Amino acid sequence: MIKIVLLGAGNVATHLYKGFKNASNIEVVQWYNRSKKAIEAYKNDVNITDNISDLVDADVYLIAVNDDAIEALTNSLPFEKRLVVHTSGSASLYDIDMKHYRGVFYPLQTFSKGVDLDFTTVPICIETLRKKDFKILEILGQSLGCTTYKVNPKQRPALHLAAVFVNNFTNQIYRIAHEITEKHGAEFDILKPLITETARKVQEVSPYMAQTGPAKRNDKKTIKRHLKLLDNPHQEDIYKLMTESIKKTHGR
Amino acid sequence: MIKIVLLGAGNVATHLYKGFKNASNIEVVQWYNRSKKAIEAYKNDVNITDNISDLVDADVYLIAVNDDAIEALTNSLPFEKRLVVHTSGSASLYDIDMKHYRGVFYPLQTFSKGVDLDFTTVPICIETLRKKDFKILEILGQSLGCTTYKVNPKQRPALHLAAVFVNNFTNQIYRIAHEITEKHGAEFDILKPLITETARKVQEVSPYMAQTGPAKRNDKKTIKRHLKLLDNPHQEDIYKLMTESIKKTHGR
Ligand SMILES: NC(=O)c1ccc[n+]([C@@H]2O[C@H](COP(=O)([O-])OP(=O)(O)OC[C@H]3O[C@@H](n4cnc5c(N)ncnc54)[C@H](OP(=O)(O)O)[C@@H]3O)[C@@H](O)[C@H]2O)c1
Ligand SMILES: NC(=O)c1ccc[n+]([C@@H]2O[C@H](COP(=O)([O-])OP(=O)(O)OC[C@H]3O[C@@H](n4cnc5c(N)ncnc54)[C@H](OP(=O)(O)O)[C@@H]3O)[C@@H](O)[C@H]2O)c1
């Protein structure tokens, strides 16, 4: 049985709490948040606290708070030489106060409190200084049903950056497509199967191989027609830059 | 039974041929291509020809050739007052010679000859001048198992443009993520569940509602760190423009 104290009560912490609850070899022995309100609803299920000096003994202190708060929070923990890990993709392992055994348990997925999550679709990127700590975090991830990956300090920030591209930037591309369809009285819904297929295709072939369309073909007539259709200069800039990018990649 | 003559033998025509073969109320009575080679393999299943003056009678002449070739090909057809439709998202209905009854049967999906296709994931955008032609094309689409949509000359080009965003531009975003992970020795595979989840999310909520991340939060520290990590000026431009775009959308 691995004993965990969970710190933070946002999107990630809340899903992790539920995930650990369902794992047979994990026990969340305590849940801390700076304000009790967010965890009040769980007080019959788990020992909750908003007092940092009340923290109990555990094998892992799992910190899912804002990136900027990691350093101060780990510094204020009233013990040392215990395994303290954060869940951030971009914060450094060294943001954790050096009095602890340090690690990162970064779930590379998008979490929203209100949206159900299937942990089998969550890759966990693990970084530790000590081998035995890696083993513990690996078991933690596997107990949730996740696939775990060992990453190093160079890889994790790159994965986080790449995640911003495939999640936030892709989503903004969807948003612009939504604006275009709305503007011309067409249904965004018609695009949904194509969105699904585009994401599905790169599960099997590389994005390089999957590319098609006017930019790859350098079909100047269509590109010109599209630019004429876009009367919003901002959308035009994105169209031009993405078209250039595709041409570059495919040697046009 | 609706009789079809199929013209063209590329990605779209080949999938349509297979789809119609499986539909009980559709008969492909002839398959034309300017070069016989591409359809030679089907000569025992269907009447094939490379001679435009050999075309037989049919209810629909379905033209799936390059956009630029539509006008000349429809002009050269040795008959008039029959239903002639193309499959392009961007060519005009008026690219079809006016001696015909004209229509568009635009499958808003990505087709590759070698990749299996499930027609239930293909929305068909239909444009016609006459109501009765719309009915015929609607049955055609439904017989394939597709969902059909009535569109007008303003909506279809907008849908095609939006499709370039969600398909080609999204795919290029994936490509850049691939470059970033490769450069830092990380596995692109780790991103695949996030790619899937990002596409899944907008099936249910709008892209506006689905957005998260440093740009939306205007998290300057993370943005700065990301820009430092990108040493390729082209990728930097895309990062900056997409970040600006998200900020704009979310009032930052
Ligand atoms: N959301 C995602 O999709 C996702 C994915 C992977 C990794 N992550 C990482 O997971 C961590 C948490 O993200 P999240 O989305 O769960 O955040 P969130 O929903 O915004 O929750 C933030 C939590 O941090 C607490 N907090 C904020 N400032 C604090 C401070 N100064 N001292 C102590 N606690 C503080 C908040 O407490 P209150 O309740 O009192 O405000 C809240 O419990 C971050 O490192 C993030 O980078 C997030
Ligand atoms: N691919 C897609 O994902 C997709 C999706 C929706 C709509 N569309 C539209 O469907 C149509 C066909 O696209 P596709 O991807 O199937 O194209 P494709 O694979 O490149 O095939 C083009 C076909 O057009 C023929 N062709 C080219 N120039 C011609 C000419 N001057 N005269 C007669 N035939 C000519 C070619 O004949 P040869 O075999 O002799 O070269 C070939 O059979 C286009 O209007 C396209 O916009 C495509």
Side-chain angles (χ1 to χ4, degrees):
Chain A
M1 188 68 85
I2 300 177
K3 289 184 183 173
I4 297 181
V5 169
L6 196 58
L7 298 98
N11 300 306
V12 171
T14 304
H15 278 293
L16 284 177
Y17 176 76
K18 289 177 188 165
F20 289 136
K21 264 284 170 194
N22 290 327
S24 56
N25 54 338
I26 312 282
E27 191 187 353
V28 179
V29 293
Q30 193 175 38
W31 194 352
Y32 162 90
N33 198 44
R34 61 171 178 184
S35 55
K36 237 180 185 167
K37 225 184 95 198
I39 46 177
E40 199 72 45
Y42 299 87
K43 72 175 173 199
N44 296 327
D45 297 324
V46 61
N47 169 358
I48 64 168
T49 183
D50 58 2
N51 186 348
I52 202 90
S53 47
D54 277 352
L55 292 188
V56 301
D57 272 14
D59 301 304
V60 188
Y61 294 81
L62 196 51
I63 300 197
V65 302
N66 291 12
D67 290 6
D68 293 348
I70 293 170
E71 200 167 338
L73 181 60
T74 60
N75 181 270
S76 72
L77 294 176
F79 52 75
E80 56 179 38
K81 293 200 173 150
R82 296 191 196 163
L83 180 56
V84 173
V85 309
H86 69 64
T87 59
S88 169
S90 66
S92 163
L93 181 140
Y94 301 103
D95 287 352
I96 299 169
D97 194 283
M98 62 181 286
K99 68 183 172 183
H100 306 294
Y101 300 130
R102 297 173 278 184
V104 180
F105 186 83
Y106 167 46
L108 199 152
Q109 192 44 284
T110 160
F111 291 77
S112 310
K113 249 185 188 175
V115 180
D116 274 351
L117 188 81
D118 171 4
F119 271 102
T120 63
T121 69
V122 180
I124 306 273
C125 303
I126 300 174
E127 210 181 308
T128 59
L129 293 173
R130 305 190 312 167
K131 249 196 188 142
K132 59 189 278 197
D133 295 338
F134 178 81
K135 283 270 172 245
I136 294 175
L137 297 184
E138 196 177 30
I139 294 171
L140 228 58
Q142 287 166 354
S143 304
L144 292 168
C146 304
T147 307
T148 57
Y149 294 88
K150 187 179 175 156
V151 298
N152 64 38
K154 219 183 132 210
Q155 291 165 333
R156 188 169 43 83
L159 283 164
H160 184 255
L161 171 58
V164 165
F165 274 83
V166 304
N167 181 236
N168 305 152
F169 294 174
T170 292
N171 192 68
Q172 182 65 5
I173 296 278
Y174 299 160
R175 162 68 189 180
I176 293 168
H178 194 176
E179 287 171 3
I180 293 168
T181 50
E182 280 213 327
K183 177 154 190 282
H184 295 87
E187 286 177 60
F188 179 67
D189 278 4
I190 306 181
L191 297 169
K192 288 181 176 175
L194 184 58
I195 287 175
T196 302
E197 175 61 16
T198 306
R200 198 204 55 77
K201 221 169 171 181
V202 295
Q203 309 290 317
E204 285 168 18
V205 303
S206 71
Y208 182 87
M209 291 302 294
Q211 194 57 281
T212 60
K216 185 185 169 191
R217 285 194 312 271
N218 196 15
D219 171 351
K220 293 201 183 85
K221 235 172 102 182
T222 302
I223 293 171
K224 212 171 145 190
R225 199 152 34 186
H226 282 168
L227 284 170
K228 228 178 119 187
L229 210 57
L230 290 166
D231 58 358
N232 172 329
H234 181 67
Q235 293 175 351
E236 240 173 77
D237 287 347
I238 292 176
Y239 187 98
K240 281 180 188 157
L241 192 58
M242 293 311 300
T243 295
E244 269 320 299
S245 182
I246 295 172
K247 282 199 213 167
K248 231 181 151 93
T249 296
H250 294 274
R252 286 295 194 158
Chain B
M1 187 67 88
I2 300 176
K3 288 183 185 174
I4 297 181
V5 169
L6 196 59
L7 298 98
N11 299 307
V12 172
T14 304
H15 278 293
L16 284 177
Y17 176 76
K18 290 177 189 165
F20 289 135
K21 265 283 170 194
N22 291 327
S24 56
N25 55 337
I26 311 281
E27 190 188 355
V28 179
V29 292
Q30 194 175 40
W31 194 352
Y32 163 90
N33 196 45
R34 62 173 175 182
S35 55
K36 238 183 185 163
K37 226 185 94 199
I39 45 177
E40 198 75 45
Y42 299 89
K43 71 174 174 200
N44 296 326
D45 298 324
V46 61
N47 170 358
I48 63 167
T49 184
D50 57 3
N51 186 347
I52 201 90
S53 46
D54 278 352
L55 292 189
V56 301
D57 272 15
D59 302 304
V60 187
Y61 294 81
L62 196 51
I63 300 197
V65 302
N66 292 11
D67 290 6
D68 293 348
I70 292 170
E71 200 166 339
L73 180 61
T74 61
N75 181 270
S76 73
L77 294 176
F79 51 75
E80 55 178 39
K81 295 201 172 151
R82 297 191 195 162
L83 179 54
V84 173
V85 309
H86 70 62
T87 59
S88 170
S90 66
S92 164
L93 181 141
Y94 301 102
D95 287 352
I96 299 169
D97 194 284
M98 61 180 286
K99 68 184 173 183
H100 307 293
Y101 300 129
R102 297 173 278 184
V104 180
F105 186 85
Y106 167 46
L108 200 152
Q109 193 40 288
T110 161
F111 292 78
S112 309
K113 249 186 189 175
V115 180
D116 274 351
L117 187 80
D118 171 4
F119 271 101
T120 64
T121 69
V122 181
I124 305 275
C125 302
I126 299 175
E127 208 180 310
T128 58
L129 293 174
R130 307 190 312 167
K131 250 196 186 143
K132 58 189 278 194
D133 295 338
F134 178 80
K135 283 272 170 244
I136 295 174
L137 298 184
E138 197 177 28
I139 295 172
L140 228 59
Q142 287 165 353
S143 305
L144 292 169
C146 304
T147 307
T148 57
Y149 295 87
K150 187 178 177 159
V151 297
N152 64 37
K154 219 185 132 208
Q155 291 164 334
R156 187 169 43 83
L159 283 164
H160 184 254
L161 171 59
V164 165
F165 274 83
V166 304
N167 181 237
N168 305 152
F169 294 174
T170 292
N171 191 68
Q172 183 65 6
I173 295 279
Y174 299 160
R175 162 67 191 182
I176 293 168
H178 194 176
E179 288 171 3
I180 293 167
T181 49
E182 280 212 327
K183 178 156 188 280
H184 295 87
E187 285 179 59
F188 178 68
D189 277 4
I190 305 181
L191 297 169
K192 288 181 177 176
L194 183 59
I195 287 174
T196 302
E197 174 60 16
T198 304
R200 197 203 55 76
K201 221 169 171 181
V202 294
Q203 309 291 317
E204 286 169 17
V205 303
S206 71
Y208 181 87
M209 292 302 295
Q211 194 57 282
T212 60
K216 186 186 168 191
R217 286 195 309 271
N218 196 14
D219 172 352
K220 295 202 183 84
K221 233 172 105 183
T222 302
I223 293 171
K224 212 172 145 191
R225 201 152 32 186
H226 281 168
L227 284 170
K228 228 179 120 186
L229 210 58
L230 290 166
D231 58 359
N232 172 330
H234 181 67
Q235 293 175 351
E236 242 173 76
D237 287 346
I238 292 177
Y239 187 96
K240 281 181 190 158
L241 191 58
M242 293 310 300
T243 294
E244 268 321 298
S245 183
I246 295 171
K247 282 198 211 166
K248 231 180 151 92
T249 295
H250 294 274
R252 287 295 193 157

